[in-house]
Amino acid sequence: MNLEQLRSFVEVARFGNFTRAAEELYLAQPSLSRQIAALEQDLGAELFHRARGGSTLTVAGESLLPLARRMLADAESVRRELAELAGLERGRVRLGATPTLCISLVAEVLSTFHAEHPAIELHLSEQGSRALLDQLAGGELDLALVTTTDATAPGRFTVTPLLVEELVVVSSAAAPPVTSRATISLAEVARLPQVVFSSTYDLRAATDAAFRAATLEPEVVLEGAEMDAVLRFVERGLGVAIVPALVLIDRPGLRAVRLAERALDRTISLARPADVAPTAAVEVMRRTIAAEATAFAARAGETMRVAQAGDAVGDA
C-alpha cells in the first residue's frame, strides 16, 4: 500500500466514477484501475461495487476512507514541514537595516529574495545602528545590517563584516563640478554649502568628528534631513553632502568626488544573535545578503570593497 494508491482510492470515492477520478489525477484510466486493484489485493478486500452507473464503496471501502484521508493529510503535513525547514514555502525573516542601506543594498536584497522565495514573510525595521542592535538583543529581529557595533557586548552577537566603503562628497550633476581634481580635501568641503543629516545618524557623528579633528567649521545650509531627503536636496543644487558611496548607485542626478583624506570610511556588517540558531529562511536571507553585497562592491569600483577578516567592525 502506498500514498499514490490511497490518493487514487480517495478520488474514486469522491467522484464515484473511475473515469472522472483518472482525469482529476491526470492518469490513464487503466493505470488508475490497476492501482485500485493492487490496493484491494494488498488489503484482501474489495473496496468498490463496480457498476455501469458508477462505483460505490463497500463496507471495507467505507472503513478505509477516513483512514486514507487522514494518512494523506499527515503526509501533506510532513511535506509542508520539510519544505518549511528547507526555507522554500513558509517562514519569516525579520530584517533590520539603516536608512542608507534601505535605499540601496536592502532594496536589491529583498527584491532578489522575494523573487526566489515569494511565500516567506518579510518584515523590515528601518532604524539607526544602535536601535537595530537593541531590537536584535530584544528578539525583535533575526538579522540586522549595521554600520557600527559600539553597543555590542562580547558574545552577544555574531557580527560579520560585509563591505568597507568610503564616504564621498556629492553635488548636483546639473551644476558645475565642485573641483577639477580627482579628490577634494575636508578644508575645501568645509567652505562649500552643506546639507547635513539628523544628529541621530551615526554618519553625522563621524563627519562632525572628522571636521573637529581638522579644526574646521563646515558651512551648513540645511540640517536634520533623512538620507533620501538629503540626496534629493543635493540633486536640486541646495548644497553638497558627505554620503556613503553605496547610495550613489543608480543616482544619475548626483556627481561624486572622493575625499583626499581616506580616513572617512565605514564597515557595513551583518549582525545576528549569537545564542539563537538561524532558521532555514534566515540562513537563506543571510546568503542572499552576502551575495548582493559582493555584487554591490563590484559595481561601486574603488570606493567600496568586500570586507576582509581583519577589518574593524564599526568605524563610522
Side-chain angles (χ1 to χ4, degrees):
M1 182 171 59
N2 58 48
L3 292 177
E4 290 304 315
Q5 292 171 344
L6 291 176
R7 191 170 290 109
S8 295
F9 164 71
V10 168
E11 290 303 306
V12 174
R14 180 160 74 99
F15 289 105
N17 185 285
F18 274 70
T19 301
R20 290 187 62 192
E23 291 172 352
E24 182 71 15
L25 293 166
Y26 298 100
L27 289 174
Q29 185 172 330
S31 297
L32 177 62
S33 297
R34 284 195 296 270
Q35 285 190 0
I36 298 300
L39 180 60
E40 289 176 326
Q41 185 175 357
D42 287 343
L43 296 175
E46 287 192 355
L47 301 174
F48 294 101
H49 296 296
R50 295 164 174 83
R52 285 192 176 183
S55 299
T56 57
L57 289 168
T58 64
V59 173
E62 289 176 352
S63 298
L64 177 61
L65 184 59
L67 297 174
R69 285 172 173 163
R70 188 181 313 149
M71 292 171 71
L72 290 172
D74 288 344
E76 178 64 16
S77 295
V78 169
R79 189 193 69 80
R80 287 184 177 276
E81 289 300 320
L82 291 177
E84 182 177 2
L85 287 174
L88 298 176
E89 292 188 5
R90 288 188 297 167
R92 179 187 67 174
V93 177
R94 301 167 301 170
L95 175 65
T98 65
T100 304
L101 296 173
C102 281
I103 65 171
S104 51
L105 176 61
V106 172
E108 299 297 325
V109 166
L110 295 187
S111 176
T112 298
F113 185 90
H114 181 68
E116 295 178 358
H117 308 284
I120 293 178
E121 283 183 48
L122 296 174
H123 299 265
L124 178 65
S125 176
E126 184 177 355
Q127 305 284 344
S129 293
R130 291 175 179 81
L132 291 174
L133 291 170
D134 287 342
Q135 290 182 337
L136 201 63
E140 300 171 53
L141 295 175
D142 302 304
L143 298 167
L145 278 163
V146 297
T147 56
T148 181
T149 55
D150 293 344
T152 61
R156 204 170 166 200
F157 304 113
T158 298
V159 181
T160 305
L162 297 175
L163 296 169
V164 177
E165 64 172 341
E166 290 181 24
L167 302 184
V168 297
V169 179
V170 291
S171 60
S172 172
V178 294
T179 180
S180 59
R181 302 188 309 277
T183 62
I184 188 171
S185 69
L186 271 179
E188 292 173 293
V189 177
R191 295 193 293 269
L192 296 172
Q194 281 187 56
V195 180
V196 300
F197 295 98
S198 163
S199 59
T200 61
Y201 271 57
D202 297 321
L203 183 57
R204 170 70 183 279
T207 53
D208 284 352
F211 282 118
R212 281 196 306 270
T215 64
L216 296 170
E217 186 70 32
E219 180 187 336
V220 176
V221 294
L222 180 66
E223 179 179 13
E226 300 292 321
M227 176 60 71
D228 194 54
V230 166
L231 298 178
R232 289 182 182 276
F233 292 146
V234 172
E235 284 175 339
R236 300 299 190 276
L238 190 63
V240 302
I242 299 176
V243 301
L246 194 67
V247 303
L248 296 174
I249 295 174
D250 299 326
R251 284 272 183 174
L254 294 172
R255 177 186 286 115
V257 61
R258 299 170 77 181
L259 283 161
E261 296 86 353
R262 300 295 173 81
L264 274 175
D265 60 20
R266 66 176 190 169
T267 301
I268 297 167
S269 301
L270 183 63
R272 66 174 180 83
D275 58 348
V276 178
T279 66
V282 170
E283 178 59 22
V284 172
M285 175 62 81
R286 185 196 65 76
R287 293 199 299 266
T288 302
I289 291 170
E292 289 297 330
T294 300
F296 257 74
R299 292 167 63 188
E302 294 182 347
T303 58
M304 190 184 307
R305 63 177 173 82
V306 175
Q308 304 300 315
D311 284 317
V313 183
D315 40 310

